[in-house]
Amino acid sequence: MASSKKTDSGFVETIKTIVWALVIAGVVRTLFFQPFFIPSGSMKDTLLVGDFLFVNKMAYGYSRYSCPFASADFSPCPIEGRLFASEPKRGDVVVFRHPVQNVDFIKRLVGLPGDKIQMIDGTLYINGTAAPQEPAGNFTEIKEPQGAQGTPPRCVNDPVGLGGTCIKQRFIETLPGNTPSDPPVKHDILNISDSWMADNTPVLTVPEGEYFFMGDNRDNSEDSRFPQSVGGVGFVPAQYLVGRADRIMFSSAGKSLMYFWTWRPDRFFKAVK
């Protein structure tokens, strides 16, 4: 009899432990950090397909999209606007909810409210001034299906057969800070073609309360250069910001994190710049 009671007590304690673990995980997931897995190559070479990171949800405050499973029609967090809002910085790598597609995107913030953004021959202009680009050699990778989507990369030297070396031109771009007193932000960008359709745009003025995002892999990114009417991102209102990507925790070049032979140890715990 005593043994039966002890077994029942042990079972109840196990259930309690599981419940509390789920509660703690839910609180952390909702308030502090959100896991994010990089599915595409739009942010190369800052982020590679298969990078796994945690998004800092405290960086910009909280909106209805800060909660897990939130959508345009429903959110477990019925928040109007943003709580504890903080202004993002130009150059931040940000996860945001696509205003129409209802999926999370990750891009670099290049345009603040009121900024005038334009691309001219592949060079980014902010308020009429070019963001300087310095040649930084080539970015190379194997031409092969990448990640769960199995999409091969685009290359400067295409056509490249599977298993061949895929080359992209790499530059270091310098973005101005939010204010004249802020330090500039340097980061890598990649170039594939000098005649891609988004290498030249009209002047795009960022509305108040909204932001302009671009991928670092400039010729392979669906971002704010394309309006939502043609499947792009367009301007992103502040309420759709989820958080800032600060550090890569894990990375795998295979279709699954379980493929240990494809792990990239040199990217574990690497800061996102």
Side-chain angles (χ1 to χ4, degrees):
M1 195 70 165
S3 176
S4 176
K5 287 183 178 179
K6 187 177 294 185
T7 300
D8 290 345
S9 175
F11 178 75
V12 170
E13 287 303 316
T14 299
I15 295 298
K16 285 182 179 179
T17 300
I18 293 172
V19 170
W20 276 112
L22 291 174
V23 169
I24 293 171
V27 170
V28 171
R29 173 75 165 78
T30 300
L31 296 180
F32 302 109
F33 300 100
Q34 174 175 317
F36 192 86
F37 189 76
I38 303 300
S40 73
S42 69
M43 281 296 293
K44 291 178 181 176
D45 63 343
T46 303
L47 299 172
L48 302 182
V49 177
D51 283 349
F52 179 82
L53 48 87
F54 282 102
V55 177
N56 181 355
K57 300 177 77 169
M58 299 175 287
Y60 311 130
Y62 304 92
S63 75
R64 60 179 287 118
Y65 296 101
S66 300
C67 273
F69 315 113
S71 69
D73 302 317
F74 169 78
S75 173
C77 304
I79 300 172
E80 294 295 330
R82 296 195 75 85
L83 295 178
F84 312 112
S86 179
E87 182 76 8
K89 293 183 179 297
R90 189 186 284 110
D92 284 357
V93 176
V94 180
V95 170
F96 59 88
R97 184 65 52 87
H98 191 290
V100 175
Q101 297 181 20
N102 200 35
V103 294
D104 288 339
F105 275 46
I106 185 165
K107 307 288 180 185
R108 191 176 298 275
L109 174 60
V110 301
L112 302 172
D115 281 348
K116 296 183 183 300
I117 304 295
Q118 186 177 21
M119 292 293 291
I120 301 176
D121 296 332
T123 297
L124 170 64
Y125 283 75
I126 301 175
N127 299 321
T129 301
Q133 295 182 7
E134 307 168 39
N138 291 326
F139 170 76
T140 61
E141 57 186 337
I142 301 299
K143 183 71 173 268
E144 62 184 357
Q146 295 182 346
Q149 298 177 356
T151 305
R154 293 176 58 213
C155 320
V156 169
N157 55 327
D158 273 331
V160 178
L162 292 179
T165 299
C166 177
I167 298 173
K168 296 178 179 64
Q169 298 171 321
R170 176 164 47 202
F171 298 87
I172 299 173
E173 182 177 77
T174 302
L175 301 175
N178 284 28
T179 68
S181 61
D182 289 334
V185 178
K186 293 181 178 288
H187 66 100
D188 287 357
I189 61 171
L190 300 182
N191 180 61
I192 302 170
S193 169
D194 292 327
S195 59
W196 197 51
M197 55 185 172
D199 280 343
N200 290 280
T201 71
V203 176
L204 302 168
T205 302
V206 186
E208 285 301 314
E210 302 187 19
Y211 299 94
F212 192 101
F213 291 93
M214 291 176 64
D216 289 348
N217 191 0
R218 290 288 165 81
D219 294 342
N220 191 32
S221 175
E222 177 185 337
D223 52 41
S224 293
R225 291 172 290 178
F226 301 91
Q228 296 166 13
S229 59
V230 296
V233 172
F235 302 119
V236 179
Q239 66 172 327
Y240 290 94
L241 305 187
V242 174
R244 185 183 65 221
D246 290 335
R247 191 170 296 275
I248 300 164
M249 305 303 295
F250 186 86
S251 185
S252 171
K255 290 185 177 181
S256 168
L257 294 178
M258 303 304 293
Y259 294 1
F260 64 87
W261 57 91
T262 66
W263 291 356
R264 306 182 184 109
D266 60 313
R267 298 187 66 78
F268 291 8
F269 309 112
K270 182 178 180 180
V272 177
K273 297 180 181 180

